[in-house]
Amino acid sequence: KAGVTQTPRYLIKTRGQQVTLSCSPISGHRSVSWYQQTPGQGLQFLFEYFSETQRNKGNFPGRFSGRQFSNSRSEMNVSTLELGDSALYLCASSLETSGGFGYNEQFFGPGTRLTVL
Amino acid sequence: DAKTTQPNSMESNEEEPVHLPCNHSTISGTDYIHWYRQLPSQGPEYVIHGLTSNVNNRMASLAIAEDRKSSTLILHRATLRDAAVYYCILLNSGYALNFGKGTSLLVTP
């Protein structure tokens, strides 16, 4: 069974640009979560999607957005990039059901390393 | 938000048991306690999770306090491959799920 895949693996952008990151979950997983990891703040939750709907959201500005497609693949977008957005962006998928979030383990992808210059 | 508190770092000798503590005094009744670990240059990897009862799997054991305000991840025999950052988190719908900085485990031969 293929794991969670994320593309691209590395990305370099300049301030003010926007970026779109992609995540393909494990087949059959309908829940996809996104996280930002930086040395200063650790691993922080961005949002979670289930069946194309954003179900949970972390404390990030509106510049960070996401969506999920009918095949459960997900994308996240960051607009008007700032230097502080440089981070490892991780995607995780889970066999969650419509009834809740947290019962099942999350499977993480390798991440996309975003550098903002 | 329900938060967790872990020591910044711990050290263990190879082939000895390791007990990694986590405090979560504001846990709610429906929060699941999850443990993940992250090896260098990799995404986090699931280790174990539980709700109220102690749990065992092939990787580790999870001991949950009776009041659920703390838990302990137990690695029965640490190996060099267990050197990683270990995160204790609480998962439930509606929460902002920050992993924090976890506990960096150093295993020495």
Side-chain angles (χ1 to χ4, degrees):
Chain A
K1 200 177 205 182
V4 177
T5 58
Q6 292 187 245
T7 56
R9 292 293 312 278
Y10 302 91
L11 206 50
I12 299 175
K13 292 286 188 179
T14 56
R15 280 181 298 174
Q17 287 187 310
Q18 75 163 20
V19 66
T20 299
L21 312 181
S22 180
C23 171
S24 293
I26 291 173
S27 177
H29 286 192
R30 295 163 66 188
S31 170
V32 174
S33 300
W34 288 89
Y35 298 83
Q36 181 196 66
Q37 186 170 33
T38 59
Q41 298 297 321
L43 198 58
Q44 294 186 289
F45 173 74
L46 280 156
F47 27 66
E48 183 243 354
Y49 285 87
F50 179 85
S51 291
E52 302 179 66
T53 300
Q54 187 181 88
R55 201 165 55 166
N56 294 290
K57 189 177 189 305
N59 296 322
F60 277 82
R63 299 186 297 108
F64 293 81
S65 62
R67 59 177 176 169
Q68 186 181 34
F69 301 96
S70 58
N71 61 359
S72 294
R73 190 177 69 85
S74 177
E75 289 180 347
M76 69 162 282
N77 183 276
V78 187
S79 62
T80 319
L81 283 167
E82 301 176 358
L83 295 179
D85 297 333
S86 295
L88 180 67
Y89 289 88
L90 292 155
C91 164
S93 74
S94 176
L95 255 178
E96 298 297 348
T97 67
S98 59
F101 178 56
Y103 180 74
N104 292 301
E105 65 207 73
Q106 296 191 64
F107 295 84
F108 283 82
T112 294
R113 172 74 62 185
L114 172 65
T115 302
V116 182
L117 302 176
Chain B
D1 294 348
K3 294 193 185 328
T4 62
T5 304
Q6 299 177 254
N8 289 333
S9 62
M10 292 186 65
E11 190 169 338
S12 173
N13 294 321
E14 197 175 11
E15 298 191 4
E16 288 188 355
V18 182
H19 290 235
L20 298 168
C22 181
N23 287 317
H24 29 78
S25 58
T26 57
I27 190 171
S28 76
T30 53
D31 286 336
Y32 287 88
I33 303 162
H34 283 240
W35 283 82
Y36 288 77
R37 69 181 186 182
Q38 188 172 22
L39 280 65
S41 302
Q42 295 186 24
E45 171 190 34
Y46 168 82
V47 177
I48 199 166
H49 78 283
L51 185 61
T52 56
S53 305
N54 294 344
V55 184
N56 299 297
N57 66 21
R58 64 174 181 81
M59 289 181 69
S61 295
L62 175 61
I64 301 173
E66 196 169 333
D67 62 6
R68 301 212 322 129
K69 294 185 176 182
S70 66
S71 62
T72 302
L73 178 70
I74 303 166
L75 306 179
H76 296 286
R77 289 183 65 205
T79 69
L80 296 178
R81 289 172 299 187
D82 291 323
V85 178
Y86 286 78
Y87 298 98
C88 164
I89 61 169
L90 304 179
L91 286 187
N92 194 359
S93 60
Y95 282 99
L97 311 169
N98 294 330
F99 279 52
K101 297 187 179 181
T103 296
S104 180
L105 176 65
L106 175 65
V107 180
T108 53

